[in-house]
Amino acid sequence: MVFLKVIAVIHALFDVVGLPGNLLVILTISFERRLHVMRYILLASLAVSDFLNLILDNSFRIASMAQEKWLYGQTMCYLNPCIHRYFYINTILHLVAVSYDRYKAIVKSPLTYDGTITMRNALFMSLIWLIPIPVSMGPIFGYGLQNVYNPEVFRCENGWLSQRDKSDTRNGFIYLSSFIVPFLVIFFLNWSVYNTAKMQINALAQEAQLGGFDDSAENLENNQQELIRKRKERKASVDVVVIIAAFLFCFFPLWVVNLLRKYATSIHLPPYLILGAKCIYVVSSVCNTIIYSIRKREFRAAVKQIFSRLGLIGSSQNDNDVLAIDINNLRNRDTNSKSPPACTSPRSATCSLGLVIKSQDKSRGEDNRETEVNFQRALNTIPEIDGY
């Protein structure tokens, strides 16, 4: 069947992309000491979960769908659905924990939160890995319905989906809460982070405008602050939309399909719909690294350093180094020189700011010390608010 071959190839691509991507996140956070804070440790733990999920769950689907039969024996038929459920719950808990860490840093304790790894945080992370065990391994220990082989999708799955007459209300409640409750929690936490970040950005912009600059630089500074404010506010809103949209895209189709299979007894869903929903679910193991890691500037800089150490990319100065060099150029420039200070990078903000300040000094006859003070005040922009 051509459709099964296509689905098998897609799952194989998930392994090809997701395994090195998650491994890159793990290695980068492990080797970079400045990333040894709670928010990045949670991301590394999530990457470990996704990495193991691709190996222990997704890899078994590839060969089974390609051969159109279960190839791994009765023992793995019992284990594989438990592994699938374990990493589903584990991933959900990680997403909630990452959202809570953002909430704690921005909303709950912005003045006292430092991101250090304490015994309490270590215990919290241990629970993320321990809680799914009794929930997912019940069939192995005789609790609940046994895992069975489904010839329609060529894999084993939990029996409560196929044995409708033997299930009870408790299983239905657990299944409903396994998606709805985490989604509501993640939505609330990230929406609170967005609203707080927006208020902080607006407050910083108003404070910078009320701080006062000389009249000739006022328009430049106001425009700069307004541009920065809009950019930070847009990034905060995009982060929330991306996180919620990715969660819904990856988990909602499979949740709806399984819900219909369980309770809509008059509807027989075609196998390609079930396989498609399971395929979309595996996307979460690939996109988590992109959403929660690659979007952060600090992490991107660490990845570039890792690649530079391995010789995969050439070494280059980061923006902070360029900015520092340009500041030194402006401070040490000859006051009698008529030529503008040299800029180390055309992207540097000091290229344009330095020219403006120099022209102001020349027209007003201010000394070099006053120039440096005005320049430093002009560089005092709103700090980035990227969720932490």
Side-chain angles (χ1 to χ4, degrees):
M1 187 175 179
V2 178
F3 178 78
L4 290 175
K5 299 296 189 295
V6 172
I7 293 295
V9 170
I10 294 176
H11 279 281
L13 290 176
F14 289 154
D15 277 3
V16 171
V17 176
L19 290 177
N22 286 289
L23 185 61
L24 175 62
V25 173
I26 298 169
L27 294 178
T28 301
I29 297 176
S30 299
F31 291 139
E32 291 294 326
R33 294 179 59 87
R34 59 194 176 95
L35 300 183
H36 292 177
V37 292
M38 191 60 187
R39 59 179 179 268
Y40 284 111
I41 296 300
L42 281 172
L43 294 179
S45 181
L46 176 61
V48 171
S49 176
D50 291 335
F51 186 85
L52 295 177
N53 183 39
L54 290 172
I55 294 178
L56 300 178
D57 184 23
N58 185 63
S59 298
F60 286 91
R61 307 183 187 196
I62 300 173
S64 295
M65 286 185 293
Q67 297 294 325
E68 300 185 14
K69 60 180 179 180
W70 182 253
L71 304 172
Y72 304 103
Q74 188 66 28
T75 301
M76 284 306 302
C77 186
Y78 281 112
L79 288 177
N80 191 253
C82 297
I83 293 173
H84 170 77
R85 179 181 290 186
Y86 174 86
F87 284 110
Y88 170 82
I89 300 173
N90 184 268
T91 300
I92 292 291
L93 293 178
H94 271 101
L95 298 180
V96 172
V98 171
S99 298
Y100 177 75
D101 185 75
R102 288 165 51 89
Y103 173 83
K104 186 177 181 180
I106 299 297
V107 182
K108 184 179 179 180
S109 307
L111 299 179
T112 59
Y113 178 85
D114 57 2
T116 56
I117 304 174
T118 62
M119 288 297 298
R120 182 178 180 180
N121 291 335
L123 177 62
F124 177 70
M125 289 189 58
S126 300
L127 292 177
I128 294 177
W129 288 92
L130 293 176
I131 289 176
I133 294 178
V135 179
S136 59
M137 302 300 174
I140 296 180
F141 300 104
Y143 176 78
L145 301 175
Q146 297 298 314
N147 298 326
V148 295
Y149 173 68
N150 186 351
E152 291 186 342
V153 295
F154 309 106
R155 64 163 296 158
C156 297
E157 57 187 14
N158 191 259
W160 74 274
L161 291 173
S162 56
Q163 304 173 25
R164 297 187 178 96
D165 55 330
K166 296 181 181 180
S167 63
D168 53 19
T169 306
R170 179 181 55 189
N171 286 330
F173 174 77
I174 293 175
Y175 187 70
L176 288 172
S177 61
S178 66
F179 175 83
I180 295 178
V181 173
F183 171 74
L184 293 177
V185 172
I186 292 174
F187 179 83
F188 169 77
L189 294 176
N190 284 279
W191 185 254
S192 299
V193 168
Y194 166 70
N195 288 331
T196 303
K198 184 177 179 179
M199 289 188 295
Q200 291 178 357
I201 292 167
N202 292 333
L204 288 169
Q206 293 176 1
E207 181 181 354
Q209 292 176 359
L210 295 175
F213 293 88
D214 43 30
D215 295 337
S216 58
E218 183 177 358
N219 292 334
L220 175 64
E221 180 63 19
N222 290 339
N223 293 335
Q224 182 187 22
Q225 297 293 345
E226 182 66 18
L227 180 63
I228 293 174
R229 184 189 69 81
K230 290 182 179 179
R231 186 170 70 248
K232 306 308 179 185
E233 184 175 330
R234 183 173 62 251
K235 186 180 186 302
S237 61
V238 169
D239 284 343
V240 175
V241 172
V242 169
I243 291 171
I244 300 302
F247 182 89
L248 289 175
F249 175 79
C250 296
F251 295 97
F252 186 71
L254 183 61
W255 183 79
V256 172
V257 166
N258 286 340
L259 196 64
L260 292 175
R261 293 173 66 194
K262 178 60 188 175
Y263 295 106
T265 56
S266 60
I267 301 176
H268 178 74
L269 298 180
Y272 68 83
L273 189 61
I274 301 173
L275 293 173
K278 292 182 180 294
C279 185
I280 294 174
Y281 161 75
V282 183
V283 175
S284 65
S285 297
V286 180
C287 71
N288 284 332
T289 57
I290 299 175
I291 296 174
Y292 293 96
S293 299
I294 303 302
R295 286 182 57 83
K296 298 184 179 300
R297 293 192 308 175
E298 187 178 19
F299 180 84
R300 294 198 303 267
V303 170
K304 290 180 181 178
Q305 291 183 4
I306 294 293
F307 284 160
S308 178
R309 294 173 186 175
L310 297 176
L312 300 178
I313 60 175
S315 59
S316 60
Q317 289 180 311
N318 56 36
D319 293 338
N320 292 331
D321 294 336
V322 172
L323 182 60
I325 293 174
D326 287 342
I327 291 175
N328 291 330
N329 287 340
L330 286 170
R331 288 179 174 177
N332 299 327
R333 73 184 187 274
D334 186 0
T335 56
N336 297 324
S337 175
K338 295 182 180 180
S339 61
C343 295
T344 59
S345 172
R347 296 172 52 227
S348 176
T350 61
C351 293
S352 58
L353 288 175
L355 293 175
V356 172
I357 294 174
K358 179 167 182 154
S359 63
Q360 294 171 0
D361 296 344
K362 184 175 180 181
S363 61
R364 294 188 172 201
E366 297 176 344
D367 58 10
N368 188 51
R369 179 180 178 184
E370 184 65 21
T371 302
E372 291 181 3
V373 173
N374 289 337
F375 177 74
Q376 291 174 355
R377 292 178 65 186
L379 285 179
N380 187 23
T381 57
I382 300 176
E384 181 182 10
I385 300 176
D386 63 346
Y388 297 100

